[in-house]
């Protein structure tokens, strides 16, 4: 059998060992290589390994890279399905094969003797030659391989050749939900290995929270000396346990001690974090404390380079996580570039380090011949686990090992767990696919509903082993498109039940690929089978701009919670370890969104898990609607945010808006040719629709229930999706029948029935218009006629404004968008934005940009003229330069083209978002059931701005 289809782990590599750098010479071999892509192994040039082979005519390719992102072949996206026949371990003969060649000269001072060639990642299979001699074959794309090359190295003119195959037997083990991309995508390094150097080591650093003592002991094959200057440790024989008082490491206080391991031949800098992970009392603990994992699933993605992620990008991820209160990462679904884990150590993130294993595509085939249980894959499975653990064993941030993802269950998985438990008893084993929890140490689920989590929290499980384990959601809150909705309900459960220890949002970043004009997703590269935009399901847009979902998540998981309390202001500390000692508390009083006063709030230090109440500061009197915003900010800069960065905030109502007596009604309605005139308004006499106000031409408002469906609306969770029910009911194509236009006296009453074609049900919508000095009042009464067979996407009005009304200002919820089940992150204030700036550029266009809890909103032209809307109760609005129908039709952001109008929706209600794209739908309390509804608002033309 060809090495390509050999289900074994590869050949020729030295045993796996820890990732580290030392003072021994090393030579990065990243850079410009020669490259040639052949359509198959058979078509590839036979003699590339020959150092004399002439590659002058080949292309150049950067290494690391993925060749499909450099004009060779195309990316392809599938979620679950293998893009080739499931015929294990065979792969297509048309197997794109990329030959990579590099000529290199080690520096003059390069020592003779042993040397290793290290590949941090080759996708999916590489055969390697140095100076014409084969070194071996590597599989396990997201894992390192090292080859002994000392005897082969020449002082100059070395020729390194790597033949990479897109498909190999290893592909069966790498069916993660991501782009299929190929190449040498992580670093290549030549490492001198001095005789008597430190081949491998394991710094075991524990912390005893009962004594405050740390213990450090280094496992190595050689005699090594340990120095830790900050602890006064000098010249200590590293293998001998050393017990001493230390500050522990945690994600909140990632105290690392710089140290050195040395032999006469080599010095290795190490950073030691003392911490002890345990499972006790059915809880996952570190240093004796229960953790609450506020986590995300992180794939490695860059919109231009794919899984080639620079250390700058890895740092950007870590900083964004820390600034958004994220405290944990699951490295879905493979070990990340090692640099990322060093950053997790340094900045403080709890990590589930996951093995590069997923065989999801066997699922649709009933898991028949699944590699998790077939003997022929046993070595490969174990090899991947070993390489994961050996590489990352020195990282204090890694607190759980994960066997992989979506690989069903079987002996090979059980054996991986057994090996881990034996090799590293200090870290529990995670694997979601072991549903019986027979070989894992934590119970893990994905996308469990709040109801299921509640049952797990109550420990009502019949399976005793599972019942008594700590529980976490390795995936939940699918962040596809607009969403996730319903985060708050999960937080409540995590806080209610000690064994429910949080989870990891799916997922961190949209894997959109930058192409001119937009980000591409599955199907955009002509794939035969693909899963469309299911790869666009992150909290970050592909360019790492936070989406509203991340803002919401940051607020829901904030470690300090500030709320109103009978005694004044309540401050609750939700950190796992830290007190509030590092925070300042400030307050800001705003009247109708305008700052009136501010100050510092004296809050005594609150310990982890505690809360305190402090009296309100003395506040100046206000007459308009006023809110007190209290913020907890970093008192001094940290490594991840400047001083003043807000980690938590709360708003307290101080004074309500004064009751405004309704202005005297000014009638009557006049009839002219084809028109009805009422106050500043002009109406179409036949349809009763407002056509102008104060001289500005308008159209509407009219009743409107449609929204451009979100990915979650289209998800089925289970049962037919909300969107399909809406479409079947015809809610996207409602027709308006005018029953009566009654224009007698001071009121204009327009009675209508709004209903879809082919259906018997409808909604009566009565519009009652009156005029007052300066504007119009509209009352809308909506009454369902017959049973409406679905929920409503929204309930409100739509109207068209002149396109010049391009600036919005409002008093209400902001600054960002919100929906009923995703509205924790908005505060009440006064906000302004251009209409263009109100849009959230979801990679796959869909409903977005809804502002909620709005008291008033204005839309103005550059000259200050425009329209102001005041609700008699809070309303929501969107304003966009295209219709909901155009938004629904668009497949990429650049298909949205601004028209000549601003389309404004004014809503009393929206259906929630939920996470039905993968997971539970909209919870009952956030569903918009059609019912009789009345609401009223005023419309006024303005000149010189909207605020009054
Ligand atoms: C789950 C996968 O583990 C994850 O990789 C991703 O594909 C996610 O779904 C959806 O985006 S598995 C699914 C069957 C719940």
């Amino acid at each position: 059998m060809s090495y390509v289809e050999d289900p074994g782990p590869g050949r020729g590599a030295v045993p796996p060992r820890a990732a580290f750098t030392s003072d021994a010479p090393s030579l990065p071999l990243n850079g410009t290589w020669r490259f040639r892509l052949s359509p198959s192994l058979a078509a590839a040039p036979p003699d590339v390994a020959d150092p004399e082979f002439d590659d002058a005519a080949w292309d150049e390719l950067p290494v690391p890279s993925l060749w499909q992102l450099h004009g060779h072949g195309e990316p392809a996206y599938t979620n679950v399905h293998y893009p080739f026949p499931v015929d294990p371990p065979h792969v297509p003969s048309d197997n794109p094969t990329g030959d990579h060649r590099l000529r290199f000269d080690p520096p003059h001072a390069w020592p003779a003797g042993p040397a290793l060639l290290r590949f941090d990642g080759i996708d999916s299979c590489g055969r390697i030659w140095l100076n014409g001699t084969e070194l071996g074959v590597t599989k396990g794309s997201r894992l390192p391989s090292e080859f002994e090359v000392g005897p082969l190295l020449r002082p100059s003119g070395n020729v390194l050749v790597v033949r990479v195959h897109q498909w190999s037997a290893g592909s069966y083990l790498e069916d993660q939900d991501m782009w299929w991309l190929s190449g040498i995508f992580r670093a290549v390094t030549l490492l001198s290995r001095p005789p008597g150097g430190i081949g491998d080591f394991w710094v075991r650093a524990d912390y005893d929270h009962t004594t405050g003592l740390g213990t450090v002991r280094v496992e190595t094959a050689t005699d090594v000396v340990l120095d830790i200057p900050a602890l006064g440790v000098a010249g200590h024989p590293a293998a001998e346990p050393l017990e001493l008082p230390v500050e522990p490491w945690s994600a909140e206080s990632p105290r690392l001690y710089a140290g050195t391991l040395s032999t006469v031949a080599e010095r290795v800098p190490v950073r030691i974090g003392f911490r002890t992970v345990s499972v006790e009392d059915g809880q996952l603990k570190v240093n004796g404390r229960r953790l609450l994992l506020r986590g995300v699933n992180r794939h490695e993605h860059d919109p231009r380079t794919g899984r080639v992620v620079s250390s700058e990008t890895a740092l950007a991820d870590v900083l964004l996580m820390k600034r958004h209160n994220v405290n944990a990462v699951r490295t879905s679904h493979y070990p990340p570039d090692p640099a990322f884990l060093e950053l997790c150590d340094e900045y403080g993130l709890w990590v589930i380090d996951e093995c590069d294993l997923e065989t999801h595509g066997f699922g649709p085939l009933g898991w028949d011949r699944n590699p998790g249980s077939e003997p022929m894959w046993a070595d490969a499975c174990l090899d991947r686990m070993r390489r994961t653990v050996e590489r990352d064993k020195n990282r204090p941030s890694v607190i759980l090992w994960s066997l992989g993802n979506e690989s069903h269950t079987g002996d090979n998985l059980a054996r991986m767990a057994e090996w881990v438990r034996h090799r590293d008893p200090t870290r529990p084993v995670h694997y979601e696919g072991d549903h019986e929890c027979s070989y894992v140490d934590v119970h893990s689920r994905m996308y469990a509903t709040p109801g299921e989590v509640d049952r797990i929290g109550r420990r009502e499980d019949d399976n005793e082993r599972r019942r008594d384990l700590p529980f976490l959601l390795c995936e939940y809150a699918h962040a596809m498109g607009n969403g996730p909705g319903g985060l708050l309900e999960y937080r409540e459960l995590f806080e209610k039940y000690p064994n429910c220890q949080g989870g990891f949002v799916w997922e961190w970043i949209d894997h959109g690929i930058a192409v001119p004009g937009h980000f591409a997703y599955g199907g955009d590269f002509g794939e035969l089978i693909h899963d469309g935009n299911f790869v666009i399901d992150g909290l970050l847009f592909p360019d790492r701009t936070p989406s509203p979902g991340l803002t919401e998540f940051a607020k829901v998981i904030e470690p300090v919670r500030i709320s109103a309390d009978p005694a004044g202001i309540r401050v609750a500390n939700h950190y796992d370890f830290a007190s509030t000692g590092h925070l300042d508390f400030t307050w800001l009083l705003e009247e109708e969104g305008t700052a009136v006063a501010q100050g510092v709030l004296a809050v005594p230090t609150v310990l982890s898990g505690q809360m305190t109440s402090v009296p309100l500061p003395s506040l100046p009197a206000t007459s308009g609607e006023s809110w007190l915003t209290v913020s907890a900010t970093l008192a001094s800069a940290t490594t991840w945010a400047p001083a003043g960065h807000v980690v938590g905030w709360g708003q307290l109502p101080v004074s309500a808006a004064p009751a405004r007596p309704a202005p005297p009604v000014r009638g009557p309605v006049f009839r002219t040719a084809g028109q009805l005139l009422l106050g500043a308004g002009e109406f179409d006499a036949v349809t009763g629709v407002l056509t102008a106000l104060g001289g500005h031409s308008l159209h509407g408002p009219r009743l409107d229930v449609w929204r451009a469906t979100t990915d979650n609306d289209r998800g089925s969770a289970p049962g037919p999706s909300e969107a399909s029910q809406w479409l079947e009911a015809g809610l996207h194509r409602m027709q308006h029948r005018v029953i009566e236009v009654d224009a007698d006296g001071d009121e204009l009453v327009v009675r209508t029935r709004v209903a879809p074609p082919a259906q018997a049900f409808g909604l009566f919508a009565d519009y009652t218009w009156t005029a007052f000095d300066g504007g119009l009042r509209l009352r809308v009464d909506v009454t369902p006629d017959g049973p409406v067979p679905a929920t409503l996407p929204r309930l409100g009005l739509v109207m068209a404004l002149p396109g010049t009304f391009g600036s919005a200002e409002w008093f209400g919820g902001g600054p960002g968008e919100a929906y009923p089940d995703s509205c924790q992150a908005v505060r009440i204030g006064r906000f302004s934005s251009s209409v263009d700036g109100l849009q959230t550029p979801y990679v796959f266009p869909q409903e977005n940009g809804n502002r909620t809890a709005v008291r008033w909103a204005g839309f103005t032209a550059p000259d200050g003229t425009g329209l102001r809307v005041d609700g008699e109760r809070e309303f929501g609005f969107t304003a966009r330069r295209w219709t909901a129908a155009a938004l629904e039709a668009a497949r990429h952001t650049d298909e949205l083209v601004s028209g000549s109008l601003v389309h404004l929706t004014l809503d009393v209600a929206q259906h929630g978002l939920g996470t039905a794209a993968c997971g539970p739908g909209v919870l009952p309390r956030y569903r918009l059931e059609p019912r009789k509804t009345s609401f009223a608002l005023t419309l006024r033309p303005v000149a010189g701005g909207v605020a009054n």
Side-chain angles (χ1 to χ4, degrees):
M1 188 180 294
S2 147
Y3 66 94
V4 177
E5 294 185 328
D6 183 339
R11 62 181 190 228
V14 302
R17 61 188 191 115
F20 64 90
T21 54
S22 79
D23 65 349
S26 72
L27 178 66
L29 297 178
N30 310 323
T32 304
W33 292 40
R34 287 287 180 182
F35 177 74
R36 183 180 191 278
L37 183 66
S38 305
S40 65
L41 175 53
D47 44 1
V48 287
D50 181 348
E52 304 309 318
F53 180 89
D54 182 7
D55 60 19
W58 286 17
D59 286 323
E60 292 188 331
L61 186 75
V63 167
S65 70
L66 292 155
W67 67 62
Q68 291 88 349
L69 299 178
H70 292 267
H72 305 277
E74 300 277 9
Y77 165 60
T78 61
N79 169 15
V80 173
H81 295 288
Y82 290 102
F84 48 78
V86 183
D87 179 19
H90 303 292
V91 295
S93 307
D94 293 338
N95 185 0
T97 293
D99 286 319
H100 302 66
R101 297 181 99 250
L102 177 75
R103 242 162 252 278
F104 69 93
D105 301 334
H108 283 307
W110 191 268
L116 292 175
L117 195 53
R118 179 178 176 94
F119 295 88
D120 280 319
I122 295 180
D123 195 327
S124 82
C125 169
R127 186 175 180 191
I128 303 154
W129 297 266
L130 182 66
N131 298 331
T133 302
E134 180 177 341
L135 303 179
V137 170
T138 174
K139 288 177 197 161
S141 298
R142 272 67 66 171
L143 291 162
S145 297
E146 292 180 312
F147 299 91
E148 178 59 55
V149 293
L152 299 174
L153 270 184
R154 298 175 185 160
S156 68
N158 292 281
V159 179
L160 175 59
V161 179
V162 185
R163 167 163 285 181
V164 181
H165 304 285
Q166 171 147 15
W167 310 121
S168 70
S171 305
Y172 283 98
L173 307 182
E174 296 174 5
D175 189 25
Q176 291 94 342
D177 176 7
M178 61 191 194
W179 293 100
W180 295 97
L181 293 166
S182 330
I184 306 172
F185 76 101
R186 287 184 187 160
V188 182
T189 318
L190 179 67
L191 303 161
S192 163
R193 298 305 313 140
I198 303 170
D200 189 14
F201 65 89
W202 190 344
V203 177
R204 293 172 174 257
D206 304 329
Y207 180 73
D208 182 342
H209 67 280
T210 62
T211 60
L213 297 176
T215 308
V216 59
R217 180 171 60 88
V218 184
E219 280 183 18
T220 51
T222 27
D223 283 343
V224 170
V225 162
L226 171 66
D227 290 87
I228 313 174
L231 293 174
V233 177
H236 179 77
E240 284 174 25
L242 192 64
E243 194 179 61
L244 64 190
V246 297
E247 288 172 45
W249 187 96
S250 73
E252 291 169 5
S253 307
R255 180 69 166 102
L256 292 174
Y257 290 91
T260 322
L261 299 178
S262 32
T263 66
V264 281
E266 184 172 27
R267 284 165 57 87
V268 177
V270 290
R271 293 191 300 175
I272 304 171
F274 292 86
R275 94 277 173 281
T276 294
V277 187
S278 61
V279 172
E280 34 177 82
D281 317 322
Q283 292 174 33
L284 174 67
K285 296 181 181 177
V286 173
N287 300 337
R289 295 285 188 106
R290 167 193 187 252
L291 299 187
L292 204 164
L293 300 169
R294 303 151 167 103
V296 293
N297 278 281
R298 176 180 180 269
H299 265 286
E300 302 208 290
H301 182 71
D302 177 292
R304 300 190 179 277
T305 58
R307 278 187 295 281
V308 181
V309 169
S310 67
S311 46
E312 292 75 31
T313 301
L315 177 59
D317 278 350
V318 168
L319 295 180
L320 280 163
M321 288 175 189
K322 294 292 289 185
R323 289 173 189 165
H324 288 88
N325 299 328
V326 169
N327 74 356
V329 186
R330 174 178 178 230
T331 69
S332 54
H333 300 301
Y334 43 80
D337 188 285
F340 177 74
L341 295 181
E342 293 203 32
L343 294 169
C344 293
D345 284 357
E346 182 178 340
Y347 290 87
L349 288 164
W350 308 114
V351 176
I352 301 185
D353 194 357
E354 193 150 274
C355 184
D356 190 0
L357 178 67
E358 173 157 345
T359 64
H360 211 161
F362 287 86
L365 309 172
W367 297 108
D368 181 36
R369 293 195 286 165
N370 179 42
S373 41
E374 295 279 307
M376 78 170 166
W377 299 99
D379 287 351
C381 290
L382 200 55
D383 168 75
R384 285 166 185 250
M385 196 70 239
R386 283 182 64 193
R387 283 156 75 193
T388 302
V389 171
E390 298 300 347
R391 192 194 77 164
D392 295 337
K393 57 187 182 259
N394 287 308
R395 303 275 75 88
S397 54
V398 174
I399 57 165
L400 292 165
W401 298 116
S402 178
L403 308 182
N405 185 59
E406 288 289 2
S407 301
H408 197 49
T409 187
D411 286 350
N412 295 339
L413 289 148
R415 256 184 241 121
M416 289 163 78
E418 195 186 331
W419 180 87
V420 176
R421 208 165 278 118
H422 180 252
R423 176 66 175 138
D424 182 11
T426 70
R427 291 174 176 106
V429 174
H430 167 272
Y431 176 58
E432 182 272 345
D434 177 17
H435 295 175
E436 306 299 312
C437 292
S438 55
Y439 49 86
V440 294
D441 301 310
V442 296
H443 178 201
S444 175
R445 286 280 309 275
M446 42 173 81
Y447 308 104
T449 64
E452 291 173 280
V453 175
D454 190 71
R455 278 193 292 286
I456 293 166
R458 283 188 269 123
R459 296 192 183 277
E460 288 178 355
D461 199 331
D462 294 338
N463 178 321
E464 260 178 61
R465 161 140 181 96
R466 189 167 62 198
R467 184 188 64 205
D468 294 334
L469 291 179
F471 174 71
L472 56 88
L473 285 163
C474 66
E475 295 176 23
Y476 79 115
H478 196 251
M480 186 178 185
N482 191 344
L487 286 167
L488 191 61
E489 284 69 21
Y490 285 105
R491 181 188 81 190
E492 287 167 355
L493 293 162
F494 301 154
E495 290 177 358
K496 181 170 177 189
Y497 298 113
N499 57 323
C500 293
Q501 296 195 250
F504 298 79
V505 168
W506 186 267
E507 68 176 308
W508 176 239
I509 185 167
D510 290 343
H511 309 204
I513 292 182
V515 298
H518 62 254
F519 292 110
Y521 47 79
D524 286 342
F525 299 98
E527 300 103 301
L528 286 181
I529 63 167
H530 64 82
D531 288 290
N533 65 319
F534 209 64
V535 77
I536 307 292
D537 53 1
L539 294 170
L540 296 180
F541 292 112
D543 63 1
R544 291 190 155 68
T545 305
S547 79
L550 181 57
T551 312
E552 177 76 2
F553 187 46
K555 176 65 179 151
V556 168
I557 60 173
E558 61 190 359
V560 175
R561 211 166 301 146
I562 298 163
S563 53
D565 175 281
I569 302 167
R570 179 183 308 169
V571 176
N573 178 342
H574 290 269
Y575 284 107
D576 295 330
F577 297 86
S579 77
T580 57
H582 64 297
L583 301 173
D584 284 339
F585 291 84
T586 56
W587 59 265
L588 169 67
L589 177 66
E590 288 170 306
E591 182 173 5
E592 273 221 14
T594 301
V596 174
Q598 55 191 31
V600 171
L601 189 70
V603 177
T605 298
V606 187
L607 299 179
S608 155
Q610 309 286 303
M611 63 174 87
T612 190
S613 293
V614 295
L616 286 176
S618 70
L619 301 173
T622 48
S623 52
E625 180 179 344
S626 303
W627 288 82
L628 184 70
T629 305
V630 178
S631 302
T633 59
L634 292 176
S636 43
T638 62
T639 53
W640 47 268
H645 168 82
V646 177
V647 301
W649 59 270
Q651 272 196 317
L652 291 64
V654 171
S655 56
R660 278 196 209 138
V665 170
R666 298 270 308 260
V669 186
F670 296 101
R671 264 178 201 280
T672 66
Q675 280 197 322
L676 300 170
L677 304 178
L678 176 64
E682 296 168 29
F683 296 81
D684 183 300
V686 175
T687 61
V689 170
L690 182 68
T691 56
L693 182 66
H696 302 296
S697 69
L698 309 170
H699 188 263
R702 293 208 300 176
L703 188 78
D704 192 41
V705 298
W706 186 247
R707 74 180 183 199
T709 53
T710 66
D711 293 308
N712 287 315
D713 293 338
R714 288 187 296 271
S716 43
S721 71
E722 217 74 42
S724 65
Q725 296 178 55
W726 296 340
L727 288 165
E728 198 173 311
L731 301 183
H732 59 309
R733 51 185 181 202
M734 303 283 260
Q735 299 177 2
H736 298 250
R737 176 168 69 85
V738 182
I739 301 171
E740 181 181 24
V741 178
D742 182 352
D744 291 333
D746 289 346
E747 278 187 352
L748 169 62
V749 180
V750 181
R751 288 186 221 285
T752 68
R753 187 175 183 280
V754 184
Q759 298 282 10
F761 76 89
L763 300 166
F764 288 117
D766 294 349
Y767 309 82
T768 304
W769 293 93
T770 48
F772 61 89
D773 240 350
L776 297 175
R777 176 176 187 269
L778 168 63
R779 196 185 76 230
V780 183
D781 297 291
V782 183
T783 312
D785 180 22
V788 180
T791 55
L792 299 177
R794 10 181 303 270
L795 182 60
L797 304 169
V798 66
M799 65 190 295
L801 313 180
T804 49
F805 289 12
S807 299
E809 186 175 354
W810 71 99
F811 176 48
E817 68 178 37
Y819 291 83
D821 55 354
S822 175
C823 59
Q824 301 305 305
V826 295
R827 60 190 175 83
I828 302 304
R830 188 182 292 200
F831 305 98
S832 59
S833 167
S834 65
V835 165
D836 299 323
L838 291 171
Q839 318 308 311
T840 305
Y842 291 111
V843 169
F844 188 92
Q846 53 196 281
E847 161 66 30
N848 71 84
N850 186 50
R851 281 7 186 227
T852 55
V854 178
R855 282 69 167 154
W856 57 255
F859 305 90
T860 50
D863 67 0
T865 62
L867 169 74
R868 172 171 159 139
V869 182
D870 285 71
E872 289 184 13
R873 57 158 139 153
E874 293 170 17
F875 62 98
F877 79 86
T878 67
R880 30 179 98 100
R881 295 189 180 278
W882 38 78
T883 61
L887 189 55
E888 176 88 55
R891 292 292 174 264
H892 296 101
T893 46
D894 49 359
E895 291 163 32
L896 292 166
V897 181
S898 298
S900 59
L901 301 172
V902 168
H903 301 273
L904 175 67
T905 62
L906 302 165
D907 290 345
V908 272
Q910 279 254 3
H911 189 67
L913 297 174
T915 60
C918 185
V922 176
L923 297 175
R925 83 192 72 148
Y926 303 121
R927 292 168 62 82
L928 179 51
E929 306 289 351
R931 67 171 73 88
K932 193 169 162 47
T933 309
S934 296
F935 57 96
L937 42 82
T938 60
L939 303 178
R940 277 184 288 165
V942 294
V946 285
N948 63 352

